[in-house]
Amino acid sequence: MFHPISKNMSVFNLTINGESKQVDVAPDTPMLWVLRDELDLVGTKYGCGVAMCGACTIHLDGNAVRSCQLPVSAVAGKPITTIEGLSENADHPVQKAWLEIDVPQCGYCQAGQIMNAVALLNENPNPSDEEIKNAMTGNICRCGTYIRIKQAIKKVAANS
Amino acid sequence: MKLVKTHYNRRSFLKVSTATGGGMLIGFSWLTRCTPPIKEGLAIPDEWFDINGYIKIGNTGMVTIFSPNPEIGQNVMTSMPMIVAEELDVPWEHVVVEQGALDEDAFKNPQFAGGSLSIKLGWDALRMAGATGRRMLLEAAAKEWNVAISDLSAKDGTITELNGDRSIGYGEIASKAVGLEVPEEVPLKEPKDYKLIGTFQKNVEGSKIVTGKPLFGLDFKREGMALAMIEHPPAFGMKVKDFNESEIKEMEGIEDAFIIDTTIEDPAWSDVNAFPQLIAIIGKSTWRLMKAKKALKVNWETVSELENSEMHTERLKWDLHKGEVGESRKDGDPDEAFAKAAKVIERSYTSPFMAHNTMEPMNFFANVTEDKAELIGPTQTPKAMEESVSKLLGIPVENITVDMTRIGGGFGRRLYVNFGVEAAAISKKLGRPVKLIYSREDDMTQGTYRPTYLSTYKAGLDEDNNLIAFSAKGVGLPEGSVFPNRFPAGAVENYTAEKIKSRTNISTGAWRAPRSHFTAGAEQSFLDEVAEAAGKDPIDFRLELFDRAKNNPVGEKYDYDAERYAGVLKLVKEKAGWGEDRPGIHRGVAAYFCHHSYVAQVFDMVMADGKPKVKKVWCAVDCGIVINYEGAINIIQGGVIDGIGHAMYSELKFENGSSVHKNFTTYQLIRHHQAPEEIEVFFVENDITPTGLGEPGLPPAVGALANALYKATGKRYYHQPFSTANQELINIEMG
């Protein structure tokens, strides 16, 4: 038997990039789609929907998380930072390094790569090559910009 | 001094007008080749006169170059404007590059991005447009000051009197150049005088990318638009019959659900589509649509064979012998030469089906009304999409527009237009603007795959270890991967090559460096084995063959320049210090020519924890003049990593007509920790017309990888993916 899903919407109060937001969505809606469809914050990208590519990486309370696997109901008031909240003018040290090293090709995965790298560097300001690889390996880039991503992270580490 | 024409039969390739806000606007066609066709009586194609690129010289001296080209990551939005700025002679800091704005008539007729052709095709037109601007600014200043043009110089955005004190910025004189007659011919710079071409410049969209601006198709939004997702049959060979339509429509957040049919009568090459009938679900939020897709109960019907991977392997083996031969070549008497050869080596190589897996899944916006269609999104072939939408909906092409967003990866997938056509069909049925989004699973399981291949190579050596006979035979589903006139054609006295057809109902298409990526891997690892059997260094062995092709070519023609081919091998040999003993380093080499550029690579492999790992890659590239070293190095590095990744890890297997791999949980793409630590790229310096780099970096990586793996492990790798496939020689004899 097939049963239509009953009306199932709830209001959630969120803190995104320092601003208070209210959304009225199904509780199981992943933050990825809350950001993209409800709040027009489309810098966070959809890549796989199963936490295997890292394109949707955001920060929840400072930690890198895959927003495609984070239901809005699990956010529980914790602050969220997206790529749009990293800086006003592309001047976060990690963004600056990305520009200096000229990392992007198509650019689609880079917001996720940057958010993941920022979380890594916040926790470990001077990661070894091995630590960079381990931390970044969940973020896929089909264009193959991995070497430049590593260079950019090392550049930030060297300047810190 | 090289002169280039701006007119043909008094028809101009350019239009000059006043820019909004003051200054000069030069419109030109990015497709103009400037040189009339060589064949007498052949008309110049109309698109040479379609204005689709613009240079605006504002009255402040700021130069805006509007780029109509699809940007799929090959960095043409930076490199193509650099060519204009070079000839115009303005400081790069004064240049702003903008994507041709959406919804503006001025930017119709955009280009095509495929085959690494953008730079090659744009080279003449871009130089002509820049040089004409410079010349007209000079004429305006000469008129203003009542002096001869020869008394003036124009550089770095300023016109200066050679023997006087006067100087004027381009911006100050720009509006006076409007109305002057466009000169019939303009001089172009000599390559030795280039100041911007051949420098390192950053991606002009870098800031927008790192701040997450809405650049991509998936980010596009229009007020009042609905969202749509599709469900296609779960297997190739299946078709939709009906589904629980009313239940789906009753779901929360779902507005509509229906079946669309996008079957196009008289399909073009770009209409590859295994599933023209689809279920479309419409709603306001992507998550609701995803949930509705999960709640679908569909009756599918089987309409043709449900294939599987074992069947594919058998079919390849059978058709290698029995299949219809397409393109072929024969020089000398290969049968006789093989019969008398002192040594004969025969090896077979295979590669599975592969998906494109652009990180941005397929998507498109469409707004179809009674007699008009407006489409916006990521496509490599807007023209082809217009034509397909026109055929399907019966709307004249002139009432259809396709505008491009930035593209989150193409690799050939976005040469095909079905997702745009589907969006148009949904919008038409709905009567509203709609954005169609594929889930990753939809994207990975609907086809247009890189075909699966089997090739057999055979070489005959005489008693002195000279290569006297060579044979390449290849089959694929649906077509083999053999280029009969490529290397080593022309270098071997007795030579045969056959490209063989087979069949499959799995839809296939172009994939980054089509066929070259497989051919390069197979042929270059085979030559490595032949060189070893001949007791020769693999680079010296190839160089001998290039000497033969250059000095005493076999047959009527071959498709490469032997000197340039040898050139990249010599360069990589020198840079990598090939031949030096480096303890713990296992080296493999390969070279390949495709898409008009030559690339040779040396791979340094180490054993780490008992596993082979690429440590460093050395690349030598000959793509003629390098426009932007930064972008060129980046895309070659990416091509190498992409090549390693797909050869090592990627495959798509089939069971009951269905792709076993549906997401990155089981389909493996290369990741950070698997990439080499370093890739160093060197370019051959010459003044040859530039050619593209989107594809040529990838193919040799497969061969160099296989050859380095052999040195590191003592085992030859014949079957992709190298990390998992059984590497035993497959038995290609018929039972």
Side-chain angles (χ1 to χ4, degrees):
Chain A
M1 256 321 268
F2 180 79
H3 300 284
I5 294 166
S6 60
K7 185 166 170 65
N8 186 10
M9 302 273 277
S10 305
V11 173
F12 294 93
N13 292 306
L14 302 165
T15 307
I16 297 171
N17 300 330
E19 285 178 39
S20 297
K21 301 277 180 189
Q22 203 173 62
V23 292
D24 188 3
V25 293
D28 61 352
T29 309
M31 269 313 296
L32 169 65
W33 299 113
V34 172
L35 293 168
R36 293 188 57 88
D37 288 349
E38 309 296 325
L39 300 172
D40 280 343
L41 291 169
V42 295
T44 304
K45 296 294 189 255
Y46 168 63
C48 71
V50 293
M52 287 303 291
C53 79
C56 68
T57 305
I58 59 169
H59 294 172
L60 179 68
D61 213 5
N63 298 311
V65 295
R66 308 302 187 217
S67 64
C68 73
Q69 296 297 304
L70 176 69
V72 62
S73 57
V75 171
K78 289 181 189 155
I80 284 173
T81 307
T82 69
I83 188 76
E84 291 92 346
L86 213 52
S87 72
E88 286 280 319
N89 305 306
D91 55 3
H92 183 283
V94 175
Q95 288 169 319
K96 276 161 74 179
W98 241 252
L99 293 173
E100 278 166 45
I101 302 290
D102 205 35
V103 174
Q105 285 185 33
C106 89
Y108 191 79
C109 74
Q110 299 296 345
Q113 305 272 4
I114 290 170
M115 293 310 284
N116 209 68
V118 170
L120 162 69
L121 288 159
N122 283 344
E123 199 175 297
N124 179 359
N126 200 5
S128 66
D129 279 23
E130 212 50 38
E131 287 167 332
I132 293 173
K133 278 185 217 164
N134 290 340
M136 297 303 295
T137 213
N139 288 71
I140 297 176
C141 172
R142 163 84 220 256
C143 299
T145 60
Y146 296 132
I147 290 177
R148 285 174 185 246
I149 288 171
K150 186 181 70 182
Q151 286 173 330
I153 293 172
K154 287 175 82 91
K155 192 174 179 77
V156 181
N159 293 341
S160 71
Chain B
M1 188 188 298
K2 188 185 168 176
L3 291 169
V4 65
K5 289 192 188 306
T6 66
H7 288 63
Y8 185 69
N9 283 350
R10 279 180 288 162
R11 203 172 163 194
S12 178
F13 298 131
L14 299 129
K15 280 193 189 106
V16 177
S17 56
T18 305
T20 323
M24 177 187 193
L25 187 73
I26 303 166
F28 65 102
S29 166
W30 288 47
L31 290 174
T32 296
R33 304 306 309 280
C34 304
T35 322
I38 299 159
K39 286 188 181 159
E40 289 272 336
L42 206 60
I44 284 198
D46 269 350
E47 63 260 28
W48 285 25
F49 300 100
D50 283 347
I51 302 294
N52 55 17
Y54 287 85
I55 309 166
K56 177 180 166 181
I57 304 162
N59 52 16
T60 61
M62 188 171 97
V63 175
T64 312
I65 298 171
F66 297 92
S67 161
N69 253 53
E71 177 60 83
I72 55 177
Q74 79 284 45
N75 212 9
V76 289
M77 245 183 108
T78 308
S79 56
M80 298 185 93
M82 282 173 73
I83 301 171
V84 175
E86 177 70 67
E87 288 292 348
L88 188 58
D89 214 320
V90 282
W92 187 237
E93 303 76 58
H94 295 187
V95 176
V96 176
V97 181
E98 286 184 15
Q99 174 89 44
L102 300 176
D103 310 338
E104 277 184 30
D105 282 345
F107 297 100
K108 300 312 169 196
N109 309 310
Q111 263 244 34
F112 164 97
S116 300
L117 285 167
S118 299
I119 286 287
K120 187 169 183 280
L121 293 179
W123 178 238
D124 283 337
L126 298 167
R127 288 186 303 161
M128 181 266 295
T132 304
R134 182 171 169 274
R135 182 74 185 178
M136 290 180 73
L137 292 167
L138 273 168
E139 283 181 16
K143 202 171 156 195
E144 183 79 1
W145 293 336
N146 202 17
V147 295
I149 289 177
S150 56
D151 293 334
L152 303 174
S153 83
K155 63 176 184 182
D156 299 330
T158 304
I159 293 167
T160 313
E161 208 176 357
L162 291 172
N163 298 309
D165 301 330
R166 286 181 289 193
S167 73
I168 189 166
Y170 283 5
E172 296 166 83
I173 196 77
S175 57
K176 298 210 165 117
V178 180
L180 294 180
E181 207 164 309
V182 177
E184 291 248 336
E185 293 186 317
V186 290
L188 295 178
K189 284 187 181 177
E190 295 294 331
K192 67 175 169 52
D193 298 323
Y194 289 156
K195 291 179 287 188
L196 183 59
I197 287 176
T199 58
F200 286 73
Q201 301 299 336
K202 313 285 185 211
N203 187 327
V204 294
E205 289 213 301
S207 299
K208 290 179 187 162
I209 292 168
V210 303
T211 51
K213 296 284 179 295
L215 299 171
F216 299 93
L218 208 69
D219 307 338
F220 182 80
K221 191 169 185 177
R222 164 105 30 108
E223 222 35 63
M225 90 181 174
L227 297 177
M229 294 191 88
I230 46 112
E231 185 80 9
H232 64 68
F236 293 86
M238 278 189 172
K239 198 180 152 186
V240 59
K241 212 168 153 187
D242 53 48
F243 71 105
N244 54 338
E245 192 179 321
S246 55
E247 283 168 329
I248 296 296
K249 282 186 190 169
E250 279 169 28
M251 286 180 74
E252 181 84 35
I254 299 305
E255 292 174 26
D256 209 344
F258 45 77
I259 292 173
I260 55 162
D261 189 343
T262 62
T263 308
I264 292 173
E265 303 284 327
D266 182 25
W269 67 267
S270 49
D271 288 318
V272 172
N273 187 3
F275 306 121
Q277 288 93 16
L278 302 157
I279 298 166
I281 309 176
I282 318 302
K284 278 200 192 76
S285 92
T286 316
W287 182 240
R288 294 289 190 188
L289 292 172
M290 287 179 163
K291 285 167 85 153
K293 268 165 68 72
K294 287 206 175 102
L296 275 170
K297 289 175 187 164
V298 189
N299 289 311
W300 308 106
E301 60 182 322
T302 302
V303 290
S304 66
E305 195 172 28
L306 302 183
E307 302 179 3
N308 61 55
S309 293
E310 291 70 33
M311 190 188 278
H312 291 152
T313 305
E314 289 311 308
R315 196 179 287 169
L316 286 169
K317 288 191 208 171
W318 179 266
D319 280 339
L320 184 69
H321 295 275
K322 309 282 183 189
E324 185 196 337
V325 177
E327 274 176 82
S328 68
R329 172 177 175 136
K330 191 172 174 184
D331 296 315
D333 189 339
D335 287 344
E336 195 198 331
F338 280 120
K340 71 174 189 196
K343 272 183 219 160
V344 174
I345 304 150
E346 185 173 335
R347 297 289 183 263
S348 292
Y349 300 83
T350 64
S351 184
F353 281 102
M354 287 183 201
H356 290 88
N357 288 327
T358 62
M359 290 313 291
E360 180 190 18
M362 296 308 114
N363 65 83
F364 232 82
F365 169 86
N367 182 17
V368 178
T369 53
E370 190 70 8
D371 58 348
K372 278 195 180 124
E374 176 196 17
L375 287 100
I376 298 170
T379 174
Q380 291 173 257
T381 51
K383 280 267 183 215
M385 189 177 283
E386 279 176 14
E387 276 157 28
S388 297
V389 170
S390 168
K391 281 184 201 167
L392 180 72
L393 302 183
I395 297 173
V397 171
E398 49 285 12
N399 290 357
I400 300 172
T401 59
V402 176
D403 290 316
M404 285 171 300
T405 57
R406 189 174 179 89
I407 303 176
F411 313 110
R413 177 60 189 90
R414 289 181 162 107
L415 295 168
Y416 305 94
V417 300
N418 62 300
F419 42 89
V421 174
E422 288 157 13
I426 294 169
S427 173
K428 164 110 181 173
K429 179 126 181 172
L430 206 59
R432 274 175 67 187
V434 70
K435 183 170 74 179
L436 168 67
I437 301 164
Y438 278 24
S439 70
R440 172 59 59 194
E441 290 82 0
D442 297 332
D443 191 282
M444 200 180 286
T445 57
Q446 58 78 51
T448 330
Y449 299 127
R450 199 298 298 266
T452 176
Y453 295 120
L454 163 63
S455 285
T456 295
Y457 288 83
K458 197 167 147 186
L461 297 167
D462 69 10
E463 277 158 12
D464 300 323
N465 286 315
N466 296 308
L467 181 63
I468 56 166
F470 190 92
S471 151
K473 265 179 92 162
V475 66
L477 305 183
E479 201 177 30
S481 176
V482 170
F483 299 90
N485 295 321
R486 286 193 183 172
F487 183 74
V492 190
E493 199 66 47
N494 304 289
Y495 173 93
T496 167
E498 291 180 349
K499 180 177 168 181
I500 301 160
K501 292 174 187 165
S502 185
R503 70 195 157 82
T504 180
N505 64 5
I506 291 164
S507 53
T508 62
W511 189 102
R512 194 175 193 177
R515 302 191 304 286
S516 296
H517 50 239
F518 173 71
T519 309
E523 169 208 292
Q524 288 293 304
S525 39
F526 181 65
L527 286 176
D528 201 69
E529 212 168 332
V530 177
E532 189 184 38
K536 293 177 183 173
D537 173 85
I539 293 184
D540 294 342
F541 176 70
R542 287 171 174 80
L543 292 177
E544 275 176 29
L545 293 170
F546 288 125
D547 273 347
R548 170 71 207 262
K550 196 182 134 203
N551 300 324
N552 183 20
V554 179
E556 278 179 20
K557 57 165 186 177
Y558 53 86
D559 285 353
Y560 57 94
D561 179 326
E563 199 159 344
R564 292 179 77 187
Y565 221 141
V568 287
L569 267 170
K570 288 175 185 166
L571 183 62
V572 84
K573 183 181 177 177
E574 175 209 322
K575 295 292 182 187
W578 180 262
E580 291 166 18
D581 188 29
R582 300 194 179 191
I585 303 285
H586 312 282
R587 298 190 127 176
V589 65
Y592 205 68
F593 167 64
C594 66
H595 300 89
H596 312 282
S597 297
Y598 300 79
V599 180
Q601 294 166 4
V602 166
F603 273 41
D604 287 0
M605 194 168 269
V606 293
M607 294 300 285
D609 304 325
K611 283 184 182 163
K613 168 104 180 65
V614 186
K615 188 176 166 68
K616 172 157 185 179
V617 177
W618 311 76
C619 292
V621 180
D622 182 352
C623 59
I625 294 166
V626 179
I627 310 298
N628 177 14
Y629 276 96
E630 191 79 79
I633 292 170
N634 197 348
I635 202 153
I636 288 289
Q637 290 172 330
V640 170
I641 292 173
D642 202 18
I644 296 172
H646 283 91
M648 267 321 263
Y649 309 111
S650 303
E651 70 176 323
L652 209 58
K653 280 191 175 158
F654 289 86
E655 267 174 29
N656 296 320
S658 186
S659 157
V660 173
H661 310 268
K662 302 190 191 317
N663 204 323
F664 300 129
T665 38
T666 56
Y667 192 103
Q668 210 183 335
L669 287 176
I670 192 167
R671 291 176 178 272
H672 275 273
H673 67 283
Q674 295 157 329
E677 281 167 28
E678 194 188 351
I679 301 174
E680 209 172 346
V681 187
F682 306 91
F683 292 88
V684 174
E685 284 182 27
N686 58 36
D687 292 343
I688 299 169
T689 298
T691 47
L693 291 170
E695 297 171 282
L698 189 152
V702 183
L705 173 68
N707 297 338
L709 276 169
Y710 168 65
K711 290 288 182 186
T713 65
K715 205 166 78 170
R716 289 283 176 187
Y717 285 74
Y718 302 100
H719 309 297
Q720 293 179 32
F722 295 153
S723 67
T724 57
N726 182 350
Q727 299 301 329
E728 297 305 310
L729 286 175
I730 65 162
N731 174 20
I732 57 149
E733 296 304 314
M734 307 310 294

